[in-house]
Amino acid sequence: MRRVAQALTTLLVASVLVWGMTELAAGDPARQVLAARGITEPAPAQLDLVRAELGLDGGAAQRYGRWLADAARGDLGVSWRTGRPVAEEIGTRLPATLRLTAVALLYAFAAAVPLALAGAWWSGRWPDAAARGVVFAAAALPGFVVGVVLLEVVVVGWGAGRVVADGSWGGALLPAVPLAGAVAAQWARVLRTGFDDALEAPFAEVARARGAGRARLLLVHGVPHAAAGFLTVLGMTVGGLLAGAAVSEVLFTWPGIGRELIAAIEARDVPVIQGIVLLAVAAYVVTGALAAPAAAAIDPRLRGTRARDAA
């Protein structure tokens, strides 16, 4: 119940900040909507009517209350740029972003686990140094640089992949690479720390005394020990990728919400920006709330700690 209350409080505070975008937006939203409909010289009555349609009439508290009630029902308003409902604009692009995020997470997991295991297995030897070098390079290299190189070498040079992505699973194989690099580096560091802590823990000494080898220590004892911290980082990563895929989506013309966010920012389409930001915040909150009990299910010590805190 405490975690649910924290999640709801976070969403409420975030909703105030997201709604404030409308108040800080430059220009008259009603004029912008009418301009999108082809009316460049609106009459005052038309402006008043559109402001009422957009929920921009009344006091600030009244406007926020109406917006929050509509958002709770899934009504995020109407795009100032296209005139379509924001929920529809996001809904048509969200599946493509989810596919891209899923492939990027698979790439990151496939790279992070072997790097962390290799470093922990050969600690202090050249495979450990090589793994650290790969992790450092992946963390330091900007994603847009990786994306540009992939476009020039793989797409243009080798003729593989597509310049204009279609949002399919197969089309996500290349655009997901720039997203996976920094995530894999972060995950590898978290897992490596968990493996090292497990190898130095008292239960590892007991296992060694019983004849357990390094492989058993890492796979049987180290993996569950590192998984708890990894799940917490995983929850934050998913929320970040949903809104942080904009660079890769723009480079590869991926039809996702990240590309839509860039287009909305350029057009000052505040309702679309609000909807995407609110979606990203909700993803952070939900995945973070799910990661905590999942980590406790894996690591019994966390369940004991929470029980003592509750008592």
Side-chain angles (χ1 to χ4, degrees):
M1 293 301 296
R2 183 173 64 251
R3 288 192 174 277
V4 171
Q6 290 173 348
L8 293 177
T9 302
T10 302
L11 286 174
L12 184 63
V13 173
S15 70
V16 175
L17 298 177
V18 170
W19 171 81
M21 293 181 184
T22 305
E23 303 298 310
L24 299 176
D28 189 350
R31 290 185 180 275
Q32 188 171 347
V33 171
L34 289 172
R37 299 174 182 175
I39 304 175
T40 57
E41 297 294 336
Q46 290 176 306
L47 291 173
D48 293 339
L49 181 61
V50 172
R51 291 191 186 102
E53 292 177 358
L54 298 177
L56 300 178
D57 55 337
Q62 184 180 2
R63 294 197 302 273
Y64 170 72
R66 283 199 302 260
W67 178 85
L68 183 62
D70 291 340
R73 295 194 301 267
D75 182 4
L76 300 174
V78 177
S79 170
W80 297 350
R81 179 167 46 98
T82 64
R84 298 174 58 192
V86 174
E88 183 179 334
E89 294 276 0
I90 296 176
T92 56
R93 293 167 174 80
L94 183 59
T97 296
L98 292 177
R99 284 191 285 269
L100 183 63
T101 300
V103 175
L105 292 175
L106 288 176
Y107 282 167
F109 186 79
V113 173
L115 287 172
L117 284 174
W121 183 279
W122 291 287
S123 180
R125 300 164 63 182
W126 71 264
D128 182 16
R132 290 178 183 274
V134 172
V135 169
F136 177 79
L141 196 60
F144 70 88
V145 174
V146 177
V148 171
V149 172
L150 289 175
L151 281 174
E152 290 292 331
V153 175
V154 178
V155 179
V156 178
W158 297 349
R162 295 184 177 184
V163 177
V164 179
D166 58 357
S168 64
W169 285 104
L173 298 179
L174 201 61
V177 175
L179 298 177
V183 175
Q186 182 186 28
W187 287 2
R189 290 196 298 265
V190 172
L191 289 172
R192 173 62 190 279
T193 301
F195 292 152
D196 289 343
D197 290 343
L199 293 176
E200 297 173 359
F203 61 78
E205 295 295 331
V206 176
R208 289 191 188 94
R210 293 177 176 177
R214 196 168 186 82
R216 180 176 178 82
L217 287 174
L218 280 175
L219 299 178
V220 177
H221 300 286
V223 170
H225 185 85
F230 170 72
L231 286 175
T232 302
V233 177
L234 174 63
M236 295 186 293
T237 303
V238 173
L241 283 180
L242 285 177
V247 173
S248 188
E249 290 188 358
V250 170
L251 281 175
F252 291 90
T253 62
W254 187 261
I257 60 174
R259 186 180 174 195
E260 177 67 14
L261 176 62
I262 298 299
I265 292 174
E266 292 176 347
R268 295 182 180 178
D269 194 346
V270 175
V272 174
I273 300 173
Q274 287 177 325
I276 295 176
V277 172
L278 197 60
L279 174 65
V281 173
Y284 266 114
V285 172
V286 172
T287 54
L290 293 177
I298 293 176
D299 192 341
R301 296 171 302 172
L302 298 178
R303 294 198 298 269
T305 301
R306 292 190 175 91
R308 288 192 299 271
D309 291 342

